[in-house]
Amino acid sequence: MFASVIVSVSSNSVDRLFTYKIPDSLVDTIRVGHRVFIPFGNRDIQGFVIEIKETADIDVSKVKEINRIMDGTPVLTEELIQLSKKIASYYVDRQISVIEAILPVALKTKSKTILKLSEHAGNEATVLFNELQKNNEVIVRNLDKDELKKIVPFMKSKELIEETIIAQHTKKKTNRAVRSLYTGNMPSERAVKQRELLEWIESEDAPITLLRIRDAGYSVQLVDALEVKGLVERVDVIVDRDPYDTRVFFESERHTLNDEQQIAYNKIKDAMIENRQETFLLHGITGSGKTEVYLETIEHALNKGKEAIMLVPEIALTPQMVHRFKARFGDDVAVLHSALSHGEKYDEWRKIKEGRASIAIGARSSIFAPFKNIGIIIIDEEHESTYKQGERPLYDARQVALWRAAYFNCPLILGSATPSLESYARSEKGVYKRLELKHRAKAQPLPETTIVDMALSRQEGNISIVSDILREKIIERIEKNEQIILLLNRRGYAHFLLCQDCGHVPMCPNCDISLTYHKSNGTLMCHYCAFETPVPNKCPECQSTAVTFRGSGTEKVEEILRDMFNTEVVRMDIDTTRNKGMHETLLSHFVEDNIPILLGTQMIAKGLDFPNVTLVGVLNADTTLNIPDFRANERTFQLLTQVAGRAGRGDKTGEVIFQTYNPDHYAILDAQMNRYIDFYKKEMEYRKIARYSPYYFHVLFTITSENFNHCVKASHDVSTKLLEHISNQSIVIGPSPSPIERIKNKFRFQILLKYRHEPALLEILEQLDQRYYVAYKKSGVSLRIDVDPQFIM
């Protein structure tokens, strides 16, 4: 038997399958998806078994043998292997890179797979374990072929249990516990506590941790006494690193679906019953109860014995969302997001792989949850750009979800109050089936929204970032003991430092962008390369002391609000939520201590449901409007509509204030009136004229080099190659400098390809990728190919 193996080497030159002989001792053990150690050149490396076949397609005498397997069970399913190949092809990347993105980081760190005796191990398994163990553990990769053959039957009978130990988390994976060695001899009747503790230990099916014993009021000395008498022994037990182990989730109250929700649910359920792959666009205004529809469809999938994946944007994965799912489904839920440690993510992934969780909820990478029988996939806030990976492989979780849904013949739900133009256009053409939720679930009215012209406000003498109208509304809410959410999508204290005598603005030495002032640590910082420098006392150019800060970020506005209203403010941005658990801590502080004002960047715009929030203020509605990207209008409309939906979600009426210098812009006016259809029609007209998505597909080529001339030359080369091979129906824009021409000391040029149908495009992209893979090694010029980009920057 032979195996086709992909090697864990991120190089185009080895981006193919290699044939290896399966040793006779492993023929019954190795399966597709196994990690294996293989000889490659003059070293042993890791690979993944992609295919098993009876014959080799090359000279058998030249075929090397697989050394050993790394895990008792495969880490990849056959479906995920097929998916990795599809992703690599579509997004022009190496399959091994995709496989590594699919698997948790913990499996790519220094790790070892060991075997342990189960509680039910028989004598034969125990004898074998004792023969093979070193330091009370058996490391799978150290076993030879004969030893591996011996352990297989005991793994199948679950007498030997497999565990992956991650080097940096080993100590957290086990807890000290006590198990009974009781054979009929009890402590003396005078040792009441010892007898009591032994009876408890004996009654349990599994060892009891010392932590549980102490919590129950027994001392460690009692355990010592029982151990001396040979009645118990200390052992290590595996424990999951549960990020929510300190939280208590009470079963939530079930809500009866209203008519709109019931209609939507019934149509999705019909597709589930028929095992029909269909994509539903659930278009529901903020507060319309989309989540309740999600919960019902997931429950139906579980009742059918199937599994569910629910994706939410990272910024929307709030404690409220997690609580809602945990309260409904308990331990059936595995949560995956970036705030977890590698070990916690690995344990959540392992719960899914071992069948101990049937629901995966999380951010973008959760789309790769290793389920084998998916019944429903849900993408909430489907319009969010964060579903597109920013580093290679540049996959889009929405596209991956479509592929997985097709494989499992299950429905895919795309939910949003402000769907992407692409999704809504597909629903107009019948490619997606659109379901509408036009009313709030609890029949609350949508908040009334007022637009404040900040240019007019300045003319009237108010130069503050808080307009007179918004200030009055905030005071009114504070007096009523109600809460306010304020959005400013710009972090830091001030946008930049300016010399008032010569006009000098300190720039990042590595990037073509000004440095942002952060008062908390007294530095000027680059938000692209993290360069930091102390704030100068005088101008570096003319030595003038007339330096001043211009613009306002969340850090400065927090100070302004505290002084203006003499009240406490909770600030949420990247700077205040860097540490683990701070997101939840800050929101809990806001709710439980009834803090009047929550100030933050776009991370507060969605996923929050606070009944006492009756006022939402957007301090600068133009921030996203001025970005040089064709989706700027769409993102502005979406952000404003989403944050406005945070107001008036309880019994109290909500109100919203948009502060802007563009009061007549249709994106802002339509967001004010919650007119999605009007905005959609206007924006589609502009997209059609300018030949942008969804009328055209896009590929963005970004060429970077530390040498400006090399960058320019390569850009023209890429452009020439494209023009030689594409049809005259497609459009090539560029090459031109990127909006930010230099980042991290690398010059950046870009080319945008717009096309509708190019059958040979994939071949062209692969040739360019290969060409510049070689070029990078020679001259340091790199080419990034972004298929279906979310940002043209």
Side-chain angles (χ1 to χ4, degrees):
M1 297 292 286
F2 299 87
S4 296
V5 177
I6 190 165
V7 298
S8 290
V9 178
S10 188
S11 169
N12 280 22
S13 59
V14 294
D15 185 29
R16 57 189 177 88
L17 298 180
F18 292 86
T19 300
Y20 285 85
K21 186 177 187 304
I22 301 175
D24 293 341
S25 57
L26 295 181
V27 166
D28 295 331
T29 307
I30 281 186
R31 300 202 297 277
V32 169
H34 256 125
R35 284 193 302 167
V36 291
F37 269 125
I38 49 173
F40 193 77
N42 58 359
R43 59 191 174 126
D44 285 351
I45 62 172
Q46 175 183 281
F48 295 87
V49 176
I50 302 301
E51 181 186 2
I52 293 176
K53 50 193 180 181
E54 293 188 3
T55 59
D57 48 11
I58 58 173
D59 185 352
V60 176
S61 64
K62 297 180 180 179
V63 177
K64 298 178 180 179
E65 274 195 353
I66 291 172
N67 286 341
R68 59 182 72 96
I69 60 174
M70 294 181 68
D71 313 283
T73 54
V75 295
L76 290 168
T77 64
E78 292 196 35
E79 181 256 338
L80 286 175
I81 290 172
Q82 291 181 32
L83 184 68
S84 69
K85 187 174 182 179
K86 191 170 290 189
I87 293 171
S89 175
Y90 187 83
Y91 292 105
V92 195
D93 213 321
R94 295 174 286 278
Q95 188 176 2
I96 188 61
S97 299
V98 178
I99 287 173
E100 289 176 347
I102 286 173
L103 294 173
V105 174
L107 287 178
K108 289 169 275 186
T109 59
K110 188 176 180 181
S111 63
K112 59 182 178 181
T113 301
I114 68 168
L115 296 176
K116 287 196 169 187
L117 280 172
S118 76
E119 290 295 304
H120 311 293
N123 288 334
E124 287 185 47
T126 304
V127 169
L128 178 60
F129 180 85
N130 290 332
E131 287 177 4
L132 301 177
Q133 66 89 19
K134 289 182 181 179
N135 298 323
N136 204 35
E137 66 180 20
V138 176
I139 301 175
V140 175
R141 67 187 178 199
N142 291 344
L143 301 178
D144 62 31
K145 296 165 190 174
D146 293 333
E147 290 170 334
L148 206 57
K149 191 172 184 179
K150 290 178 183 177
I151 69 169
V152 170
F154 300 109
M155 288 185 66
K156 289 181 178 178
S157 66
K158 306 287 187 186
E159 293 175 87
L160 291 177
I161 300 171
E162 186 179 56
E163 178 191 355
T164 299
I165 299 293
I166 307 158
Q168 63 268 37
H169 298 294
T170 303
K171 292 180 180 178
K172 296 181 182 178
K173 280 185 68 85
T174 58
N175 275 351
R176 207 66 174 147
V178 178
R179 72 177 174 186
S180 173
L181 296 177
Y182 176 65
T183 57
N185 297 321
M186 289 289 285
S188 69
E189 292 185 1
R190 288 178 296 174
V192 177
K193 280 288 186 181
Q194 287 184 29
R195 293 172 68 97
E196 193 178 283
L197 177 56
L198 181 60
E199 287 173 358
W200 178 33
I201 295 171
E202 174 66 17
S203 69
E204 293 281 327
D205 293 330
I208 303 176
T209 64
L210 289 175
L211 181 63
R212 277 185 66 197
I213 289 172
R214 284 194 294 266
D215 288 345
Y218 297 102
S219 67
V220 177
Q221 287 73 24
L222 285 174
V223 177
D224 294 338
L226 291 173
E227 192 172 25
V228 168
K229 294 175 182 178
L231 299 174
V232 299
E233 69 172 348
R234 281 179 167 85
V235 292
D236 287 329
V237 294
I238 303 168
V239 291
D240 282 338
R241 287 161 290 225
D242 184 356
Y244 302 99
D245 61 354
T246 59
R247 298 279 301 277
V248 177
F249 298 99
F250 298 101
E251 187 174 352
S252 60
E253 179 185 350
R254 300 180 70 96
H255 299 283
T256 302
L257 299 182
N258 62 30
D259 291 344
E260 286 184 330
Q261 291 171 321
Q262 191 67 51
I263 290 170
Y265 168 66
N266 288 342
K267 290 182 178 178
I268 298 166
K269 185 175 71 171
D270 288 345
M272 296 172 74
I273 292 171
E274 296 170 14
N275 295 318
R276 184 175 76 245
Q277 198 290 305
E278 189 164 5
T279 302
F280 295 92
L281 177 62
L282 184 60
H283 181 205
I285 64 170
T286 54
S288 59
K290 295 185 289 295
T291 304
E292 200 60 39
V293 176
Y294 302 154
L295 291 167
E296 290 293 328
T297 55
I298 288 172
E299 184 164 307
H300 182 75
L302 267 56
N303 289 340
K304 289 185 67 181
K306 297 192 175 185
E307 301 133 348
I309 296 176
M310 168 133 175
L311 300 192
V312 295
E314 187 73 54
I315 57 175
L317 192 58
T318 62
Q320 283 186 326
M321 177 69 80
V322 173
H323 182 275
R324 201 158 174 190
F325 275 77
K326 286 275 190 180
R328 181 76 168 258
F329 300 111
D331 290 338
D332 250 343
V333 179
V335 184
L336 300 161
H337 59 85
S338 64
L340 304 182
S341 68
H342 291 332
E344 287 171 339
K345 282 183 185 175
Y346 172 69
D347 285 347
E348 292 293 288
W349 176 86
R350 194 158 56 94
K351 278 173 62 177
I352 296 168
K353 183 174 178 289
E354 295 173 0
R356 292 183 287 119
S358 301
I359 304 164
I361 175 172
R364 180 179 57 236
S365 62
S366 302
I367 193 58
F368 298 124
F371 287 129
K372 297 179 181 177
N373 190 20
I374 298 173
I376 187 75
I377 301 176
I378 301 165
I379 302 183
D380 192 30
E381 311 292 2
E382 68 84 27
H383 62 276
E384 279 289 331
S385 59
T386 53
Y387 287 124
K388 181 71 188 284
Q389 171 89 338
E391 299 173 352
R392 295 186 71 164
L394 299 168
Y395 70 89
D396 192 314
R398 289 161 293 206
Q399 180 61 56
V400 176
L402 282 166
W403 288 330
R404 294 202 80 181
Y407 181 91
F408 288 102
N409 290 316
C410 73
L412 166 63
I413 305 174
L414 304 174
S416 178
T418 54
S420 65
L421 265 66
E422 290 83 354
S423 293
Y424 200 85
R426 286 174 186 147
S427 75
E428 288 280 84
K429 290 192 171 185
V431 178
Y432 297 167
K433 188 176 185 65
R434 188 165 71 244
L435 306 171
E436 300 274 6
L437 301 179
K438 297 180 179 179
H439 303 91
R440 284 191 157 184
K442 297 177 183 177
Q444 313 102 315
L446 285 170
E448 182 180 333
T449 302
T450 302
I451 293 176
V452 177
D453 184 345
M454 293 302 283
L456 184 59
S457 180
R458 290 182 71 86
Q459 290 171 19
E460 293 172 350
N462 184 357
I463 60 172
S464 168
I465 195 169
V466 180
S467 64
D468 291 337
I469 295 174
L470 181 56
R471 181 171 55 82
E472 292 169 5
K473 298 292 184 183
I474 291 174
I475 292 172
E476 181 183 316
R477 275 7 185 243
I478 292 174
E479 289 175 350
K480 289 182 177 180
N481 202 30
E482 295 172 357
Q483 291 176 295
I484 304 107
I485 289 179
L486 297 177
L487 171 73
L488 178 63
N489 206 20
R490 191 182 290 274
R491 57 188 264 244
Y493 190 86
H495 300 178
F496 56 90
L497 186 69
L498 172 72
C499 174
Q500 298 179 89
D501 285 342
C502 72
H504 174 72
V505 174
M507 303 291 288
C508 175
N510 309 314
C511 312
D512 286 337
I513 195 161
S514 61
L515 296 171
T516 301
Y517 174 47
H518 287 252
K519 188 177 181 180
S520 58
N521 55 8
T523 63
L524 296 174
M525 180 186 295
C526 175
H527 289 171
Y528 283 86
C529 73
F531 170 82
E532 287 186 56
T533 186
V535 178
N537 295 321
K538 54 187 177 181
C539 174
E541 292 294 310
C542 71
Q543 307 305 308
S544 168
T545 57
V547 290
T548 184
F549 298 108
R550 294 294 172 89
S552 299
T554 48
E555 193 179 352
K556 182 178 180 180
V557 172
E558 180 185 13
E559 278 188 8
I560 293 171
L561 294 172
R562 288 181 189 276
D563 293 341
M564 184 177 288
F565 301 107
N566 190 29
T567 189
E568 193 170 351
V569 177
V570 172
R571 172 165 64 94
M572 284 189 65
D573 53 30
I574 292 176
D575 299 316
T576 62
T577 57
R578 286 186 195 281
N579 295 332
K580 185 177 179 180
M582 283 307 297
H583 192 279
E584 181 170 1
T585 299
L586 291 171
L587 289 178
S588 297
H589 181 41
F590 176 64
V591 176
E592 293 169 10
D593 298 328
N594 200 35
I595 306 303
I597 300 174
L598 172 63
L599 167 70
T601 54
Q602 64 174 337
M603 66 173 62
I604 65 168
K606 51 186 67 67
L608 302 180
D609 190 350
F610 300 132
N612 198 37
V613 171
T614 58
L615 177 65
V616 166
V618 179
L619 300 178
N620 187 351
D622 310 324
T623 305
T624 50
L625 198 61
N626 298 321
I627 295 173
D629 192 288
F630 77 90
R631 288 194 174 94
N633 295 339
E634 181 182 10
R635 290 202 178 98
T636 299
F637 173 82
Q638 289 167 341
L639 181 61
L640 295 181
T641 304
Q642 291 285 343
V643 74
R646 302 310 106 202
R649 296 174 77 93
D651 298 329
K652 302 169 185 176
T653 305
E655 194 170 355
V656 180
I657 305 289
F658 292 161
Q659 295 185 166
T660 175
Y661 288 93
N662 294 277
D664 298 323
H665 196 288
Y666 67 91
I668 294 173
L669 290 171
D670 286 337
Q672 176 195 23
M673 304 306 295
N674 201 46
R675 296 184 302 223
Y676 176 83
I677 303 301
D678 288 0
F679 171 79
Y680 169 80
K681 289 177 179 177
K682 295 184 190 109
E683 188 66 12
M684 286 290 280
E685 283 298 316
Y686 288 118
R687 298 278 184 94
K688 186 175 184 179
I689 293 168
R691 292 182 286 192
Y692 279 116
S693 175
Y695 293 99
Y696 279 74
F697 297 107
H698 306 310
V699 180
L700 180 66
F701 302 84
T702 304
I703 302 94
T704 61
S705 175
E706 292 183 359
N707 185 298
F708 180 79
N709 292 329
H710 288 172
C711 194
V712 172
K713 184 179 178 182
S715 300
H716 283 285
D717 175 64
V718 173
S719 176
T720 300
K721 294 297 179 189
L722 286 172
L723 291 170
E724 285 175 355
H725 291 90
I726 64 170
S727 68
N728 57 11
Q729 301 300 309
S730 297
I731 303 160
V732 174
I733 300 176
S736 60
S738 297
I740 301 175
E741 192 172 342
R742 189 171 58 102
I743 293 179
K744 297 180 180 178
N745 276 323
K746 290 189 175 181
F747 294 96
R748 306 168 70 244
F749 272 65
Q750 67 183 40
I751 299 163
L752 180 64
L753 170 65
K754 301 179 183 182
Y755 70 97
R756 302 187 80 166
H757 184 64
E758 288 290 345
L761 180 61
L762 179 59
E763 184 180 349
I764 301 165
L765 298 183
E766 288 176 344
Q767 289 175 5
L768 284 169
D769 184 57
Q770 179 63 38
R771 180 186 182 95
Y772 281 92
Y773 171 78
V774 175
Y776 180 74
K777 290 186 173 183
K778 291 181 177 179
S779 62
V781 176
S782 67
L783 172 66
R784 169 187 164 119
I785 300 173
D786 190 354
V787 178
D788 303 333
Q790 283 294 301
F791 291 92
I792 312 295
M793 292 185 66

